Amino acid sequence: MPAETNESTIRTYVKPQALELGFHASMKRLWRKISEPIIELCIRLSGFVVVIFVFLIFLFLLRDSLSLFRHYPLAQFLFGRKWLPISDPPQFGVVPLLLGSVYVTLWAVFICVPLGVGSAMFIAEVAPKAIKNVLKSFVEILAAIPSVVLGFLGIIWLGPMLRNTFHLSTGMCGLTGSLLLAFMALPTIISISEDALTGVPRSYREAAYGLGATRWQTLWRVILPSASSGIVAAVMLGIGRVVGETMVVLMVTGNAPVVPTSILQPLRTLTATIAGEMGETVGGSEHYYALFGVGLVLFVITFAINLVADLFLRRARK
Amino acid sequence: MNGAKLRQNIAFSVLGALTLMIVVPILLVILYVAINGAGSITWSFLTAAPRNGMKAGGIFPAIIGTILLVIGTMLFSLPLGVLSAIYLVEYAGDNLFTRMIKLSVVNLSGIPSIVYGLFGFTAFVLLLHLGTSILAGSLTLAIMSLPVIITASKEALESVPFTYREISLSLGATRWQTVRYCVLPYAIPGILTGTVLSLSRAAGETAPILFTVAAFYLPRLPRGVFDQVMALPYHLYVISTQVPNIPLSLSFATALVLIGLVFLMNLVSIILRAHYRKRRLW
C-alpha cells in the first residue's frame, strides 16, 4: 500500500517535468532543423532582392515614361530643343537639360581631375605617413559634408563672389555649380586613384629605383601608367557622381531650362529639373510622366558610366 | 642628375600645391559655417519648434525627423545588406546569378539620388499607398544605402581568415553555424563601420526625401510611421531657397547642426574602427 502511493507520487511528481523536458528538447531539435533552411533561404532571397531593386527602378521609370510617349512622340522628347512644360501646348524637349548636365559636368571634370589625381599622387607617393593620414581624414570630411550645405554656401558665398569677379548679371550660373560639383567629386576620385597608385606592385618601384630613376621619374613614368586603369575608373565614378548630383545644381545654377551657350549663364540640369518640378506637377499629367522620362535618361546615362567604370576597375585589379 | 632632382622638387611642389588647393577650401567651408552658425545655436534653438513661418524659433522637429529617418533606414537596410553580403561571400558560387548581383550593387551605387526619389514616390508613396510618410522615406533611403552597406559588409566578411571557416567546418559545423559563430562575430566591426558611414550619408541626403517624406513646415512631432516629418537637410534647402527673408543666422545654425550631426556619426564610425582594429586577432 505505501509502495503504491509512493509510485503514484513519483509518477505525478516526475511525469510533467519529463514531458516538458522532452517537449522542449524536441522543439529545440525541430527548431534547429527548420531554422537553418529558413535563414539560408533569407540569405539567398536577400541576394536576389538587390537584383530585383535595380529591375524595379528601371521598370517603374520605363512604365511611367512610356505613358508620356503614348501621347508625345519619342523623337520630340529626345531631340526637342525646348523644355516648356506649362505652356500650351507643352513642349518636353530634353536637349537643353541634357546639355545643361553636359556643360556642368565637363567643367567640373576639367577642374576636379587634375586636382584629384594630383593630390592622390601626393598622398600616395610624396607625403610622409603622418601628413598622409591627416590628408586622408580631410578627404573623408569633404565626403561627409551634405550637398545641401554646399548648395547653401554657393548661394550666399560662391555665387556672389563669382558675379563680382566675372561681372555677371547673376552668380547663379553653370560655373558656380561646376565648382561645387568638382569639390564634391574629389573624394571619390582621390580615394580610388590613391588605391590604384598604392596597389602598383613594389617590384615595379624597385626596378625603377635600381635603374637610377628618381622618385618623381618612377612616379610619372612607371607608377602612373601602371595605375591608369584604376585612375580612369576613378574619373568615371567621379563623373557619375557629378551627373547625378541634385541639390547643389538645383540651388545654384539658376534654373533656366534653355540650351546653354556659355558656362557663365544660368542653366538647368536633368537632376535639377526633376527635383524642381516634381512638386508642382499633377499626378498622371503629361508633365509628370515627362519627368519620369528625364529620370529614365539619367538612369541610362549613369548606368552606362558605372558599367564602364566597373570594367576599368576589374581590369585594374588584374 | 641635378636636373632630375630639380625636376622632382618642382613636380612634388606642384602636387603639394594641388593638395593644398583642396585642403584649404575644406577648412574654409567648415570654419565659415562654424563661425557664422555657432552664435545662433542655443538650447532653445535645438529644442523648440519653428515659429512665425520658420523666421524664428528652433529646429527640434527637423532634428527628430532626421533621427527617425536614420533609424528607419537602418532597420530596413542593415539586415538586408548584411544578409546579401553573407550570400555573396559565403554562399554564392561563381555563376551568372552572382555576377548579376554584383553588377546590381555597382549600378545601385551609381543611381542618382533624385532617381531614388522618383522610384520611392511611385513605388512606396503611390503604389503601396504609404503616402508621404516616414515609412516611405526610410524605405527609399534604405535602398539608396544598400550598396554601401553591402560593399562594407562584403569586405569585412572577406577579411576574416579562411582558416576560421575550415576549422569550424572540419569540426562538423554546418555552413550557417560556421557563418554565425566563426565569421560574423569577427566581421561585425567592419559591418558597423560601413553602416554608420552610409547612414551618415543618408542623414544628409535631400533629393530622395523631397517627395517621399519631407514636410515643408510642420512644427510638431510626428504621430506615427505614416506621418510626414521635417528633416534637417530639406529644412536647410527650404529656408535658404524657398522662403524669402529668413535670417541668415538661422540658415547657418541649421547648416552647422546638420554638419555636426553627420560628423558625429562619422566620428562614431572612426572610433569603432580604431577600437576594433586594436583587438583584431589576426
Side-chain angles (χ1 to χ4, degrees):
Chain A
M1 200 59 188
E4 225 183 88
T5 356
N6 224 351
E7 201 185 44
S8 72
T9 10
I10 287 174
R11 196 178 293 161
T12 49
Y13 182 70
V14 168
K15 213 175 173 186
Q17 209 189 26
L19 226 172
E20 200 183 319
L21 228 146
F23 180 71
H24 208 84
S26 67
M27 274 312 283
K28 225 173 173 180
R29 227 173 295 137
L30 188 70
W31 171 241
R32 202 171 290 164
K33 233 181 205 168
I34 296 177
S35 69
E36 194 152 318
I38 289 179
I39 210 124
E40 294 204 342
L41 186 71
C42 286
I43 289 173
R44 277 165 212 281
L45 276 180
S46 305
F48 192 56
V49 161
V50 179
V51 183
I52 293 284
F53 277 145
V54 176
F55 268 111
L56 277 183
I57 292 174
F58 181 68
L59 275 183
F60 274 87
L61 290 176
L62 193 67
R63 186 194 66 170
D64 285 352
S65 322
L66 287 181
S67 306
L68 171 75
F69 301 136
R70 221 167 283 147
H71 310 289
Y72 196 83
L74 176 64
Q76 226 166 311
F77 176 75
L78 286 180
F79 304 112
R81 294 175 63 84
K82 286 209 167 93
W83 179 267
L84 301 166
I86 39 178
S87 64
D88 192 32
Q91 294 197 51
F92 304 109
V94 86
V95 170
L97 316 176
L98 198 63
L99 282 180
S101 281
V102 170
Y103 258 68
V104 171
T105 305
L106 279 183
W107 275 84
V109 168
F110 284 145
I111 298 161
C112 73
V113 168
L115 277 178
V117 177
S119 58
M121 284 160 73
F122 187 79
I123 292 173
E125 298 290 327
V126 183
K129 201 163 180 202
I131 296 180
K132 184 174 170 161
N133 287 336
V134 173
L135 289 174
K136 276 182 152 182
S137 36
F138 262 103
V139 174
E140 273 176 41
I141 286 177
L142 178 55
I145 299 177
S147 57
V148 68
V149 172
L150 290 178
F152 165 64
L153 292 179
I155 291 176
I156 59 156
W157 187 24
L158 189 62
M161 207 169 83
L162 288 178
R163 188 188 58 209
N164 293 337
T165 29
F166 292 103
H167 306 290
L168 305 170
S169 53
T170 170
M172 300 293 110
C173 66
L175 187 63
T176 317
S178 293
L179 279 169
L180 289 172
L181 288 176
F183 209 49
M184 296 186 65
L186 281 173
T188 312
I189 294 185
I190 293 176
S191 61
I192 296 173
S193 304
E194 199 232 316
D195 280 348
L197 289 168
T198 38
V200 173
R202 222 185 135 81
S203 53
Y204 286 33
R205 263 160 258 241
E206 283 163 355
Y209 293 147
L211 291 171
T214 61
R215 278 169 70 203
W216 166 245
Q217 284 166 339
T218 309
L219 174 57
W220 185 246
R221 301 266 174 84
V222 179
I223 298 176
L224 200 60
S226 323
S228 59
S229 289
I231 291 175
V232 172
V235 171
M236 294 302 290
L237 288 174
I239 293 176
R241 261 219 83 187
V242 172
V243 172
E245 174 47 45
T246 310
M247 293 321 285
V248 161
V249 284
L250 175 65
M251 291 165 88
V252 306
T253 55
N255 278 327
V258 289
V259 175
T261 50
S262 152
I263 193 68
L264 294 173
Q265 269 181 352
L267 47 80
R268 207 217 243 141
T269 65
L270 295 163
T271 48
T273 306
I274 303 175
E277 293 180 3
M278 193 66 192
E280 294 153 16
T281 60
V282 183
S285 66
E286 268 193 353
H287 187 192
Y288 173 89
Y289 291 131
L291 292 179
F292 278 87
V294 175
L296 187 65
V297 171
L298 255 179
F299 181 89
V300 171
I301 293 173
T302 49
F303 195 94
I305 290 173
N306 275 280
L307 222 57
V308 175
D310 195 49
L311 227 67
F312 275 101
L313 265 188
R314 211 167 297 167
R315 192 197 279 176
R317 260 179 227 135
K318 277 178 196 162
Chain B
M1 199 57 210
N2 238 342
K5 201 83 194 162
L6 184 70
R7 272 203 296 280
Q8 166 164 316
N9 285 341
I10 293 172
F12 282 5
S13 313
V14 170
L15 292 184
L18 287 176
T19 313
L20 219 58
M21 282 168 71
I22 296 171
V23 171
V24 171
I26 300 175
L27 270 179
L28 278 179
V29 163
I30 308 273
L31 284 179
Y32 190 64
V33 173
I35 289 169
N36 285 294
S40 314
I41 293 191
T42 55
W43 183 245
S44 70
F45 179 72
L46 295 175
T47 55
R51 273 180 291 113
N52 195 11
M54 293 182 270
K55 289 192 184 70
I59 51 168
F60 186 60
I63 295 177
I64 294 298
T66 290
I67 290 173
L68 286 175
L69 282 176
V70 166
I71 293 173
T73 305
M74 187 181 73
L75 287 181
F76 292 119
S77 65
L78 184 59
L80 201 57
V82 172
L83 286 181
S84 354
I86 290 178
Y87 176 76
L88 281 174
V89 177
E90 308 291 337
Y91 285 86
D94 189 17
N95 53 30
L96 187 72
F97 183 57
T98 311
R99 275 216 297 283
M100 256 168 71
I101 298 178
K102 285 183 178 161
L103 200 66
S104 303
V105 174
V106 168
N107 283 310
L108 220 46
S109 70
I111 292 176
S113 51
I114 187 69
V115 173
Y116 281 110
L118 275 182
F119 172 70
F121 183 67
T122 44
F124 303 130
V125 176
L126 297 182
L127 196 74
L128 294 183
H129 294 289
L130 298 177
T132 36
S133 61
I134 297 180
L135 202 55
S138 304
L139 281 167
T140 311
L141 287 172
I143 299 180
M144 198 196 71
S145 316
L146 260 187
V148 183
I149 294 184
I150 292 178
T151 314
S153 309
K154 228 178 97 197
E155 271 167 23
L157 289 167
E158 276 166 351
S159 75
V160 177
F162 200 70
T163 45
Y164 282 40
R165 298 179 181 88
E166 280 173 339
I167 290 168
S168 168
L169 290 170
S170 73
L171 289 172
T174 62
R175 188 137 69 156
W176 167 244
Q177 284 168 336
T178 303
V179 173
R180 168 71 186 76
Y181 296 104
C182 298
V183 181
L184 212 47
Y186 304 101
I188 291 272
I191 293 174
L192 284 182
T193 309
T195 305
V196 176
L197 216 60
S198 79
L199 289 179
S200 82
R201 212 163 286 168
E205 273 291 353
T206 319
I209 60 173
L210 276 177
F211 334 118
T212 54
V213 50
F216 191 79
Y217 180 54
L218 190 73
R220 60 167 173 82
L221 293 182
R223 300 204 177 92
V225 289
F226 293 106
D227 211 353
Q228 282 188 306
V229 278
M230 294 179 83
L232 274 177
Y234 184 62
H235 184 64
L236 178 58
Y237 167 68
V238 165
I239 58 176
S240 56
T241 61
Q242 306 299 99
V243 188
N245 303 326
I246 299 273
L248 258 188
S249 60
L250 275 186
S251 304
F252 271 115
T254 309
L256 186 58
V257 171
L258 180 57
I259 288 187
L261 186 79
V262 170
F263 281 6
L264 194 72
M265 292 175 73
N266 273 265
L267 197 68
V268 168
S269 109
I270 289 169
I271 290 171
L272 271 176
R273 192 167 53 191
H275 177 72
Y276 282 105
R277 198 166 274 172
K278 251 185 256 158
R279 295 194 346 193
R280 205 149 165 173
L281 299 171
W282 61 88

